[in-house]
Amino acid sequence: MSTPPTILVFDSGLGGLTVLREIVRTRPDAHYVYVADDAFFPYGHHGEDEIVARVVPLIGELIEAHAPDLVVIACNTASTIVMADLRDAYSVPFVGTVPAIKPACASSKTRRVSVLGTRGTVKREYTRKLISDFAQGCEVTLVGSGELASLAEAALSGQAVRDEDIATELAPCFVGNGPADPGRTDTVVLACTHYPLLLDRLTKLAPWPVDWIDPAPAIARRVSDLLGAPGTESDTAGAEMIFTSKRPHTLSAALTPFFGGRVPA
Ligand code: DGL
């Protein structure tokens, strides 16, 4: 392990910043490289074979260029399909991001849970298996959103996003006859890393209050466990942000909080 360790965080776009933010809080000692594969965004609109063919060689190039100590695939749409191929191809430790169905079903009181992800993630065999293994008797509704990740990108980039557009994507998560129905949905799994970017809006637009389950803190704990105890040195090398489209940075002020206050190069 190098000192400070380098952690590479990868997503199709800006969603993985919600995972990065938690990892940086847990491990301020590390050096961060965040890669947004925006040239291929949104992953939710691509087939499984296309995603594997895109991500596996791209991660190889990134490992070659940045020599990370650990790679986080901060994308459910990719993690539910590429993790085995990545682990077969490269020796670096990987941490993936998959729908947090187990903790959601363990904590639901009404026993009705919704999983809100991209269309790709909700179709995956991997996601279906998580439900059959971990639903613990809960009714689980899979909701595939075609637009929410793009709406989250737009909002973080400072564009106006209409409440109606978010509410339309959210509505199928809410099963039941209103807040007094004892069988209503009470827990929604945020199964796309973009969605916590919109958490305030989701909370405001929800027809009744629910628990939103974001796996980012659990991922950060897993990363920290794999890295071992932090060194005493803090990162002096800062952090890097890479867009595969090679578009120039225009977002530094919006991005800095996700990097724990560092301005990414
Ligand atoms: N952030 C990605 C995820 O967690 C998906 C967004 C996309 O469709 O590219 O699934």
Side-chain angles (χ1 to χ4, degrees):
M1 197 84 33
S2 48
T3 310
T6 292
I7 303 177
L8 192 144
V9 180
F10 177 87
D11 181 34
S12 58
L14 302 175
L17 291 170
T18 64
V19 178
L20 174 82
R21 175 173 58 194
E22 292 300 325
I23 302 172
V24 172
R25 273 187 197 137
T26 309
R27 294 303 296 245
D29 56 306
H31 170 75
Y32 289 92
V33 179
Y34 184 93
V35 181
D37 186 16
D38 62 333
F40 208 61
F41 179 86
Y43 278 16
H45 293 195
H46 293 291
E48 297 190 357
D49 293 348
E50 286 176 298
I51 292 174
V52 173
R54 169 76 182 179
V55 172
V56 176
L58 177 55
I59 293 291
E61 287 165 30
L62 293 167
I63 291 172
E64 187 81 5
H66 300 282
D69 295 283
L70 189 146
V71 176
V72 180
I73 306 297
C75 175
N76 294 259
T77 313
S79 297
T80 46
I81 193 76
V82 298
M83 297 311 294
D85 291 290
L86 290 175
R87 291 187 173 115
D88 281 350
Y90 312 112
S91 58
V92 133
F94 286 95
V95 176
T97 307
V98 297
I101 288 164
K102 188 178 180 183
C105 290
S107 66
S108 169
K109 306 251 177 338
T110 62
R111 318 303 294 147
R112 195 180 283 280
V113 169
S114 289
V115 177
L116 179 62
T118 64
R119 288 189 182 143
T121 295
V122 303
K123 267 197 281 185
R124 299 266 190 275
E125 191 47 46
Y126 189 99
T127 304
R128 311 272 161 155
K129 175 111 172 60
L130 286 177
I131 294 171
S132 62
D133 288 350
F134 299 119
Q136 300 156 70
C138 289
E139 287 284 325
V140 179
T141 304
L142 286 168
V143 179
S145 167
E147 297 308 322
L148 212 44
S150 299
L151 295 174
E153 292 263 325
L156 186 59
S157 306
Q159 294 161 33
V161 174
R162 298 183 324 155
D163 280 352
E164 302 91 283
D165 293 336
I166 297 175
T168 304
E169 302 295 303
L170 195 56
C173 292
F174 288 79
V175 181
N177 294 316
D181 180 352
R184 74 191 180 284
T185 306
D186 71 349
T187 305
V188 176
V189 178
L190 297 172
C192 169
T193 53
H194 279 73
Y195 302 165
L197 293 172
L198 293 171
L199 187 58
D200 290 350
R201 308 274 302 269
L202 299 177
T203 303
K204 187 184 94 178
L205 294 166
W208 58 79
V210 290
D211 287 336
W212 306 95
I213 308 293
D214 175 2
I219 294 165
R221 286 193 296 276
R222 174 82 187 129
V223 167
S224 192
D225 287 350
L226 285 172
L227 286 179
T232 47
E233 291 176 45
S234 64
D235 178 24
T236 45
E240 292 165 66
M241 174 93 191
I242 294 164
F243 291 99
T244 54
S245 68
K246 303 206 170 23
R247 72 166 143 133
H249 281 230
T250 49
L251 287 172
S252 289
L255 298 180
T256 299
F258 295 98
F259 285 88
R262 303 173 218 191
V263 181

